[in-house]
Amino acid sequence: MLFVLSAMLIVLIPGCNSTEKGGALSGDIAERVYVAPGELDEFYAFISGGYSGQLSIYGLPSGRLFRVVPVFSVDAEKAYGFNEETKPMLETSFGTIPWDDAHHPDLSQTDGVVDGRWCFINANNTPRIARVSLSTFETEEIIEIPNSAGNHSSSFVTENTEYVVAGTRFSVPYPQRDMPIDEYKGNFKGAVTFIKVDDEGHMNIEFQIMMPGFNYDLAHPGRGASHGWMFFSTYNTEEASSLLEVNASQNDKDFIAAINWKKAEEYMAAGKFTEVETDYRHNVWDESTQMTTSNQVKTVRILDPAELPGLVYFLPTPKSPHGCDVDPSGEYIIGSGKLAASITAHSFSKMLEAIEGEKFDGDAYGIPIINYDDVVAGSVEQAGLGPLHTEFDGKGYGYTTFFISSEVVKWEIGTWEVIDRAPTYYSVGHLMIPGGNSREPFGKYVVAMNKITKDRYLPTGPELTHSAQLYDISGDKMELLLDFPTIGEPHYAAGAPADLIMPNSMKFYRLEDNNHPYSIKSDAEARVERDGSEVHIYMSTIRSHFTPDNIEGIMVGDKVYFHITNLEQDYDVPHGVSMIGANTSELLIMPGQTETFVWEPKRVGVWPFYCTDFCSALHQEMQGYVRVSPEGSSVPLSWSLDGEKMGGE
């Protein structure tokens, strides 16, 4: 504890000349993470929120939190999942699901290099993949994954964003049916899904490969020479269904599944698939109409690897692997067996030679198993305890997390020698180097995402914040620079240079491009219309008033739709609105946008609404009233427009 407190003081006080290597602290560390007022961070970090279901955006090296992007969970701050425009985004074949477990973000790429267009992230619980625009930092699309359960080995992007993959962690009966769980072996299957991405980012499930009933964990794409392949770690090759901590660790080796998606495309073109009935939802937000539509899809195309030679091969790897990572050259596929003390590197070129020479050690459900010795390039021996994940710096080094020994270990590609190690605080899971999952990493920093916090921050009861730690890796030795707290339980992260993303960041929505069906383009278009018991209020906001600001003729039992357009055409001037008694969150409306919420008044009276986002010196004056009369009242519908009463006939 004394060392931790001392380390904290050293980080906070510039000029302390510590040479302590436990955290590799030095006197200039505070300066190296300090971003002065008015200055900007060098990198964006996109960190998963785990069980919060969200994606959080941080700056590096400061560790400052900039934004939480709602993806799979409702968010009252931004009205996501509450307003009428985004409610359909959370539709699934199981109904509306207002929460999920978000694990692995990945960035779009062009020619194997991150390009700053989109961030994809998975929902683990109710299997889905989302696409977040890096222009608006809004969720634009969510596609549900059928025939899957525990969508963990996703979302990982091929090097021209041809596909986003989604693999199932939990194998399930295929087709789904009522059957004894102890008949798991041979009856359960694991679907691996390839989602096609077009030039506009729109997703479509192109095909699924129905794999044996193992557990599919992490995945990464081939690149360079191995472009056209995707690699998945697998465990529970025993096909156990209970006490997996014992029964799924019996085999000496599990597998890395090597999937040739170029070959899959050939089989698809030749019609070698089976189209099967299913049910899933595909939800898309349209920037023009600013509305989300949820479409039901009823079929999916399935490839059977046992019947399609050359589609899938199994590479034996040390038991219970978690990470599956590919170096920038595409030659080495790194498997990390959680129960091993070494890191195993598989060679892509040796894999091709083994396939050509048919150097197989049997098969699993018709899928060839390549001889272990014929595909292994080398291993990093006695590197640590509990290896999980590896990222690369683009300078010839890999960095692997060790959960049990709580450290990040740097090793050299090719010689497989340990170069450096740095402790983490504590029990590190994933790590991230900006661009680390690409041909061209930006090897200046690594971020370690730790599962245990303990004594790193002020206590907050039984639950503590999760912690990320920033290391400088620009030199020979890793240097711990910063601790910073995170949203939820972070799993994976992705990063990119700020100057790649900033130029395309939207400042406001152009009012002339707003084709929302209930938008208005000026105060003069504001109005209130009744259709039976439905009332539609076409309202505008601008600093510092609502139009209309007073409405009468609403009755108990009405269903009142507030369609509110923010008329501002200026950067960073959103407006909010909240209505007393509304069974929803407030709205937060960006400049040029239209949003809708529904209010069903239950009581007679005069009820206020107001702006929830402090927008000007007269923000407090930005309010209005709605008069609610008894059901069946003869009070005419009327509203104020520029101080004059409208309607009322």
Side-chain angles (χ1 to χ4, degrees):
M1 176 65 76
L2 181 59
F3 169 76
V4 172
L5 292 173
S6 299
M8 291 170 66
L9 287 172
I10 291 165
V11 170
L12 290 171
I13 303 172
C16 293
N17 295 313
S18 172
T19 58
E20 187 72 58
K21 289 301 179 184
L25 299 174
S26 63
D28 68 342
I29 283 179
E31 295 178 5
R32 288 153 61 190
V33 300
Y34 177 65
V35 178
E39 299 297 322
L40 303 177
D41 276 283
E42 189 177 355
F43 292 94
Y44 284 91
F46 304 89
I47 301 180
S48 69
Y51 46 65
S52 77
Q54 317 293 33
L55 177 70
S56 52
I57 316 297
Y58 292 82
L60 300 179
S62 72
R64 297 179 296 187
L65 174 64
F66 297 142
R67 181 175 177 83
V68 176
V69 179
V71 184
F72 300 114
S73 299
V74 294
D75 186 331
E77 178 189 344
K78 302 173 186 69
Y80 182 86
F82 292 102
N83 62 32
E84 297 303 297
E85 288 75 15
T86 59
K87 281 181 179 178
M89 198 62 85
L90 299 177
E91 284 299 307
T92 77
S93 60
F94 300 92
T96 299
I97 304 293
W99 169 87
D100 217 302
D101 187 16
H103 277 218
H104 303 121
D106 202 10
L107 301 179
S108 57
Q109 299 184 18
T110 302
D111 295 329
V113 181
V114 294
D115 58 26
R117 291 180 294 167
W118 308 297
C119 182
F120 300 88
I121 189 168
N122 63 320
N124 194 30
N125 183 64
T126 303
R128 288 170 283 175
I129 297 290
R131 177 175 56 84
V132 175
S133 165
L134 298 187
S135 171
T136 62
F137 287 78
E138 301 281 358
T139 302
E140 291 191 335
E141 189 171 9
I142 296 179
I143 193 165
E144 188 180 3
I145 312 299
N147 302 317
S148 185
N151 176 41
H152 192 247
S153 51
S154 50
S155 52
F156 296 103
V157 180
T158 57
E159 64 174 4
N160 282 298
T161 321
E162 299 96 340
Y163 295 98
V164 176
V165 300
T168 183
R169 176 181 170 189
F170 309 116
S171 288
V172 292
Y174 178 77
Q176 270 286 16
R177 58 195 183 276
D178 180 15
M179 63 171 291
I181 297 172
D182 61 10
E183 294 179 13
Y184 178 120
K185 193 164 188 175
N187 290 309
F188 284 38
K189 299 291 183 182
V192 172
T193 305
F194 282 73
I195 301 166
K196 192 75 174 176
V197 182
D198 70 15
D199 291 340
E200 301 301 316
H202 298 133
M203 299 187 293
N204 176 66
I205 294 180
E206 190 73 2
F207 57 87
Q208 291 187 315
I209 300 174
M210 201 55 63
M211 300 286 285
F214 310 149
N215 293 54
Y216 296 84
D217 212 343
L218 274 295
H220 272 94
R223 52 183 59 93
S226 57
H227 175 69
W229 292 77
M230 182 66 71
F231 303 94
F232 293 80
S233 63
T234 75
Y235 66 100
N236 191 26
T237 52
E238 297 85 354
E239 296 181 83
S241 60
S242 67
L243 292 174
L244 262 63
E245 70 272 26
V246 175
N247 294 324
S249 302
Q250 300 300 307
N251 293 339
D252 182 55
K253 299 281 195 300
D254 286 303
F255 299 130
I256 288 175
I259 296 177
N260 187 339
W261 57 261
K262 289 284 190 180
K263 179 67 71 173
E265 290 180 332
E266 294 176 11
Y267 283 128
M268 291 296 297
K272 301 292 187 180
F273 59 85
T274 302
E275 191 160 13
V276 301
E277 291 186 2
T278 187
D279 181 16
Y280 66 93
R281 299 300 186 274
H282 187 184
N283 310 327
V284 182
W285 186 80
D286 185 294
E287 186 173 305
S288 175
T289 64
Q290 300 180 7
M291 302 285 287
T292 301
T293 56
S294 180
N295 299 305
Q296 184 181 30
V297 186
K298 301 293 288 184
T299 62
V300 67
R301 298 182 296 183
I302 303 290
L303 296 174
D304 182 354
E307 302 295 328
L308 302 173
L311 180 59
V312 182
Y313 297 93
F314 283 135
L315 283 58
T317 201
K319 67 169 66 177
S320 301
H322 189 49
C324 178
D325 304 283
V326 180
D327 85 304
S329 74
E331 168 63 14
Y332 299 113
I333 304 105
I334 309 301
S336 295
K338 298 190 297 290
L339 302 181
S342 60
I343 306 164
T344 302
H346 305 268
S347 165
F348 177 73
S349 58
K350 291 181 71 173
M351 183 191 86
L352 293 184
E353 291 173 5
I355 293 171
E356 180 69 22
E358 297 186 354
K359 296 178 179 178
F360 301 137
D361 186 17
D363 68 87
Y365 294 98
I367 298 172
I369 301 171
I370 298 175
N371 287 331
Y372 177 74
D373 291 334
D374 287 316
V375 76
V376 170
S379 62
V380 184
E381 297 295 336
Q382 301 300 315
L385 298 176
L388 293 184
H389 303 285
T390 299
E391 292 268 290
F392 302 91
D393 63 5
K395 305 170 189 176
Y397 299 101
Y399 298 74
T400 301
T401 56
F402 288 81
F403 179 82
I404 297 173
S405 52
S406 289
E407 58 186 331
V408 176
V409 173
K410 176 182 179 180
W411 48 271
E412 187 172 22
I413 299 171
T415 69
W416 319 116
E417 294 179 356
V418 171
I419 303 301
D420 189 28
R421 59 180 72 243
T424 60
Y425 306 99
Y426 303 94
S427 299
V428 61
H430 276 282
L431 76 167
M432 182 273 285
I433 294 172
N437 177 30
S438 75
R439 287 196 196 186
E440 297 182 10
F442 304 92
K444 186 172 182 179
Y445 300 113
V446 65
V447 177
M449 285 151 278
N450 305 318
K451 301 303 183 185
I452 305 296
T453 303
K454 295 297 186 187
D455 51 12
R456 303 303 286 183
Y457 304 106
L458 291 174
T460 53
E463 185 185 18
L464 304 180
T465 181
H466 284 83
S467 180
Q469 295 187 296
L470 180 73
Y471 296 82
D472 186 328
I473 58 170
S474 59
D476 293 335
K477 297 290 186 179
M478 293 178 280
E479 292 186 87
L480 176 60
L481 301 182
L482 182 70
D483 286 13
F484 60 95
T486 58
I487 299 295
E489 183 202 0
H491 287 260
Y492 193 45
D499 58 12
L500 179 68
I501 294 171
M502 283 177 57
N504 299 319
S505 185
M506 182 180 286
K507 290 182 167 55
F508 56 84
Y509 293 87
R510 290 164 54 91
L511 211 63
E512 57 265 38
D513 297 333
N514 181 344
N515 294 309
H516 190 290
Y518 295 100
S519 68
I520 59 177
K521 303 300 173 65
S522 70
D523 287 348
E525 297 178 44
R527 62 195 185 276
V528 184
E529 297 176 349
R530 177 180 287 280
D531 180 10
S533 61
E534 282 191 4
V535 177
H536 292 266
I537 301 171
Y538 296 77
M539 181 177 286
S540 69
T541 66
I542 198 165
R543 287 166 288 185
S544 295
H545 65 275
F546 294 98
T547 303
D549 58 0
N550 290 322
I551 301 165
E552 300 187 30
I554 305 299
M555 295 181 287
V556 171
D558 282 344
K559 191 171 188 177
V560 183
Y561 291 83
F562 283 79
H563 309 292
I564 305 174
T565 301
N566 182 349
L567 298 181
E568 304 282 359
Q569 292 289 267
D570 194 5
Y571 187 29
D572 196 26
V573 190
H575 288 296
V577 63
S578 178
M579 181 73 224
I580 189 171
N583 188 21
T584 182
S585 78
E586 54 87 51
L587 298 186
L588 189 63
I589 312 159
M590 297 302 110
Q593 271 197 312
T594 301
E595 292 188 19
T596 299
F597 75 91
V598 178
W599 179 53
E600 299 184 63
K602 302 294 194 298
R603 303 179 191 173
V604 169
V606 177
W607 307 105
F609 59 90
Y610 67 99
C611 178
T612 54
D613 189 298
F614 206 105
C615 54
S616 74
L618 297 176
H619 165 76
Q620 291 294 95
E621 284 75 13
M622 194 168 175
Q623 67 164 74
Y625 288 102
V626 179
R627 175 185 173 187
V628 178
S629 301
E631 186 174 1
S633 170
S634 60
V635 175
L637 196 64
S638 65
W639 62 94
S640 59
L641 189 63
D642 290 334
E644 295 186 17
K645 192 169 186 177
M646 308 295 291
E649 293 86 1

